[in-house]
């Protein structure tokens, strides 16, 4: 596989066949890969035990929340992570620079996990807030630094780089729940949170050690905000925080406060924020007419990504339910836990990411981002049609082979590899030069929007395993959307300039 080409300022080491340190990649790539891997280790490790800890009784060392409240707490945390990526991207673009924003985000995440490792209830909530804020800073700006290390016209190489980079998430998705889950459930909850903190600290240490390979990339904001702009943002932020504090304070004083009220706000913001952000981008005087056209065209990719994530959430909900009640999980007298099927997706992604990276470089500019999005949606649609067939096979009450579910998850994994890393890559290319981190934050909002809508779709079948009609109602539109993107790829690609 050809190695990527860096910009002239990417430090003394260039990304070529010589000097590669990981899968043929240079040291700057290894540094970013390692930071993201450890950050995701801390995220997935903490996420694996957060609900269990929150719903465990106080005698068991938990928070003693009801299952509904613990679910709401987990939902509020995830919504906060997605929503924080928008202000986090703005801070990287206009105040801190992408590299400093990445570093500060990592520090906040590490402090948050350390806070959760303390055996005190208030420190848990403080820790969750710090982690959400830190993740919102780190994720969009880390992607910005990665993209800046490639020449702007190196599309295939950048897509390949993001595909390999995406592997870091899957390595952590497999390992973190095992390590942190074993420590948290078997020894002590806070020890599990502490293991997540160690992972983030290791990632920060590697990042600090490798900053010499980036040269000037991401060191300063592309278009620093003026003092007046910064003051205006701080005033508006303070006003918003004050209003929310008063409203939720009154809710608590009346004895009616519920975490689901906060979750509802997150759902509303996931719908409103993309509209507001796109509107502001299109009206910003710094954005040129050509860039506005690209942003308007990018909205189609944003909506496609949101649709994909809406379908993807079915894997952790209705497909998990199918694994539990509709699948023959007995192997030689041992019953495989239904939750183990969730490891299938990251395992397939680990196998598919290097293949897709090789394929994108091999195809070069012959296959654009819209077509890759179409392939991703098409594979997702096929997985749901396969599940529709599986429900028909098991309609007489017999448990079906686990191979049906494994095949469906494999298709979803390949679809994710085709869409998610390419989505981050094309976002950095389409974004106006001074808005890259903010656009990455917008891309994360697509996941928030899709997850919110997908959660409501799940309610249609929460009382029993869904029938074939449910999967067909989701799978057929996905196939049609994928086909439309592939057929219209040339036109949309021309408008996007990619």
């Amino acid at each position: 596989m050809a190695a990527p080409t860096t910009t002239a300022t990417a430090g003394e080491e260039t990304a070529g066949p010589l000097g590669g340190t990981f899968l043929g990649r240079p040291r700057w790539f290894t540094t970013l890969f390692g930071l993201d891997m450890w950050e995701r280790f801390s995220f997935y490790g903490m996420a694996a035990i957060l609900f269990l800890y929150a719903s465990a009784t106080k005698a068991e060392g938990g928070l003693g929340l009801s299952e509904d409240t613990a679910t709401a707490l987990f939902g509020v945390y995830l919504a906060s992570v997605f929503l924080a990526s928008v202000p986090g991207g703005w801070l990287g673009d206009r105040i801190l620079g992408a590299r400093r924003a990445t570093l500060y985000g990592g520090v906040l995440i590490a402090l948050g996990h350390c806070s959760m490792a303390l055996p005190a209830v208030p420190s848990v909530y403080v820790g969750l807030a710090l982690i959400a804020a830190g993740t919102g800073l780190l994720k969009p700006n880390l992607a910005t630094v990665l993209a800046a290390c490639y020449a702007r016209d190196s599309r295939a190489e950048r897509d390949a780089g993001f595909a390999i980079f995406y592997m870091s998430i899957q390595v952590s998705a497999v390992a973190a729940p095992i390590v942190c889950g074993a420590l948290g459930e078997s020894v002590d909850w806070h020890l599990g949170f502490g293991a997540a903190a160690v992972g983030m600290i290791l990632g920060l240490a590697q990042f600090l050690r490798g900053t010499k390979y980036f040269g000037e990339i991401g060191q300063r904001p592309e278009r620093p905000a003026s003092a007046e702009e910064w003051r205006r943002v701080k005033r508006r932020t303070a006003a918003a925080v004050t209003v929310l504090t008063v409203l939720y304070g009154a809710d608590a004083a009346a004895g009616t406060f519920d975490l689901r009220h906060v979750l509802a706000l997150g759902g509303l913001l996931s719908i409103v924020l993309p509209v507001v952000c796109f509107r502001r981008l299109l009206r910003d005087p710094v954005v040129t007419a050509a860039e506005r056209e690209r942003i308007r065209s990018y909205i189609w990719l944003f909506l496609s990504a949101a649709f994909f994530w809406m379908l993807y959430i079915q894997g952790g909900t209705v497909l998990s339910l199918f694994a539990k009640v509709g699948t023959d999980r007995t192997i030689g007298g041992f019953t495989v836990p239904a939750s183990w099927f969730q490891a299938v997706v990251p395992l397939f992604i680990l196998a598919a990411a290097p293949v897709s990276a090789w394929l994108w470089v091999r195809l070069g500019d012959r296959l654009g981002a819209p077509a890759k999005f179409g392939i991703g949606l098409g594979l997702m649609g096929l997985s749901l049609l396969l599940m529709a067939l599986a429900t028909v096979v098991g309609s007489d009450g017999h448990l079906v082979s686990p191979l049906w579910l494994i095949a469906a998850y494999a298709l979803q994994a390949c679809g994710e590899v085709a869409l998610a890393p390419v989505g981050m890559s094309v976002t950095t290319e389409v974004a106006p030069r001074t808005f890259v981190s903010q656009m990455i934050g917008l891309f994360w909002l697509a996941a928030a929007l899709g997850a919110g809508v997908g959660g409501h779709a799940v309610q249609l079948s929460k009382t029993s395993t869904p029938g074939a009609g449910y999967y067909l109602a989701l799978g057929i539109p996905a196939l049609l959307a994928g086909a439309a993107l592939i057929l219209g790829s040339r036109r949309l690609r021309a408008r996007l300039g990619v």
Side-chain angles (χ1 to χ4, degrees):
M1 178 174 64
T5 303
T6 61
T7 59
T9 57
E12 295 180 0
E13 183 184 6
T14 59
L18 299 178
T21 60
F22 180 74
L23 295 176
R25 303 285 161 171
R27 287 195 174 90
W28 56 261
F29 188 93
T30 308
T31 298
L32 293 174
F33 183 96
L35 175 62
D36 194 57
M37 182 185 72
W38 284 114
E39 185 275 328
R40 292 289 87 184
F41 177 90
S42 68
F43 173 84
Y44 285 110
M46 188 274 287
I49 59 176
L50 177 59
F51 171 80
L52 298 174
Y53 165 71
S55 59
T57 65
K58 293 185 178 180
E60 296 170 328
L63 292 178
L65 303 179
S66 67
E67 288 191 0
D68 285 347
T69 305
T71 300
L73 175 64
F74 189 78
V76 168
Y77 164 69
L78 287 182
S80 300
V81 167
F82 286 127
L83 295 172
S85 64
V86 175
W90 186 87
L91 287 170
D93 281 339
R94 305 297 307 279
I95 302 295
L96 300 172
R99 225 159 78 192
R100 245 193 319 160
T102 299
L103 175 62
Y104 292 171
V107 171
L108 287 176
I109 294 170
L111 290 174
H113 286 299
C114 288
S115 179
M116 294 188 72
L118 300 175
V121 172
S123 67
V124 172
Y125 294 106
V126 171
L128 288 173
L130 288 171
I131 294 169
T135 305
L137 261 180
L138 184 143
K139 292 301 288 182
N141 290 291
L142 179 62
T144 298
V145 175
L146 174 64
C149 290
Y150 292 92
R152 196 168 178 86
D153 59 351
S154 301
R155 294 163 188 161
E157 289 81 2
R158 184 173 54 252
D159 284 355
F162 269 95
I164 295 295
F165 193 73
Y166 204 67
M167 287 175 59
S168 65
I169 299 175
Q170 313 313 320
V171 171
S172 302
V174 174
I178 296 173
V179 175
C180 297
L183 290 173
E185 289 191 74
S186 304
V187 185
D188 184 86
W189 296 113
H190 298 283
L191 189 60
F193 295 135
V198 171
M200 191 64 243
I201 291 170
L202 288 172
L204 278 174
Q206 176 169 315
F207 181 70
L208 287 170
R209 185 181 177 186
T211 51
K212 60 185 177 183
Y213 300 115
F214 299 116
E216 297 296 316
I217 287 178
Q219 198 163 358
R220 288 174 293 275
E222 291 284 349
R223 181 168 62 96
S226 66
E228 177 54 33
E229 284 180 296
W230 184 218
R231 282 194 294 269
R232 185 166 61 247
V233 167
K234 288 189 286 188
R235 285 197 302 268
R236 290 176 178 176
T237 302
V241 170
T242 300
V243 170
L244 290 176
T245 301
V246 170
L247 288 176
Y248 285 114
D251 193 12
T256 57
F257 176 77
D258 191 299
L259 277 172
R260 283 171 289 191
H261 298 171
V262 184
L263 187 58
L265 175 64
L268 178 63
L269 288 176
S270 69
I271 296 173
V272 173
L273 265 182
V275 177
V276 172
C277 290
F278 276 118
R279 186 181 179 87
R280 288 181 64 87
L281 268 175
L282 292 170
R283 291 188 170 190
D284 196 301
V286 175
V287 179
T288 66
E291 289 171 337
R292 287 193 186 94
E293 178 63 24
R294 296 174 76 179
I295 292 170
R296 289 191 187 97
S297 302
Y298 174 80
I299 292 174
W300 289 106
L301 295 185
F302 175 88
L303 294 174
S304 298
F307 185 33
F308 178 88
W309 296 118
M310 186 198 87
L311 301 175
Y312 188 84
I313 197 175
Q314 310 300 315
T317 51
V318 293
L319 265 66
S320 289
L321 185 59
F322 185 85
K324 182 178 180 180
V325 302
T327 303
D328 182 3
R329 294 179 284 118
T330 303
I331 300 177
F334 173 72
T335 301
V336 177
S339 61
W340 283 18
F341 284 92
Q342 294 300 308
V344 173
V345 172
L347 286 174
F348 273 110
I349 290 177
L350 282 173
V355 176
S356 68
W358 171 83
L359 184 61
W360 299 157
V361 173
R362 182 81 177 214
L363 292 173
D365 286 340
R366 285 174 288 175
L367 191 67
K372 294 171 185 175
F373 267 59
I375 292 171
L377 274 171
L379 290 171
M380 175 60 72
L382 285 176
S383 76
L384 295 171
L385 295 187
L386 189 66
M387 287 305 303
L389 186 57
T391 59
V392 172
V393 171
S395 60
D396 57 358
H398 293 300
L399 299 177
V400 303
S401 167
L403 293 178
W404 287 97
L405 203 55
I406 291 172
Y409 277 131
L411 287 169
Q412 292 186 8
C414 292
E416 183 177 351
V417 169
L419 185 141
V422 171
M424 288 190 289
S425 176
V426 73
T427 300
T428 62
E429 184 176 2
V430 169
R433 188 171 180 83
T434 58
F435 295 89
V436 177
S437 294
Q438 294 171 74
M439 286 282 285
I440 289 290
L442 265 175
F443 183 72
W444 282 105
L445 278 184
L449 176 59
V453 176
H456 287 295
V458 170
Q459 298 302 311
L460 298 174
S461 58
K462 67 179 181 178
T463 56
S464 62
T465 53
Y470 178 83
Y471 293 112
L472 290 173
L474 296 177
I476 291 175
L479 278 177
L480 294 175
L485 280 170
I486 293 172
L487 292 174
S489 175
R490 181 173 296 180
R491 183 179 178 185
L492 182 56
R493 189 178 176 186
R495 295 174 61 184
L496 287 166
V498 298

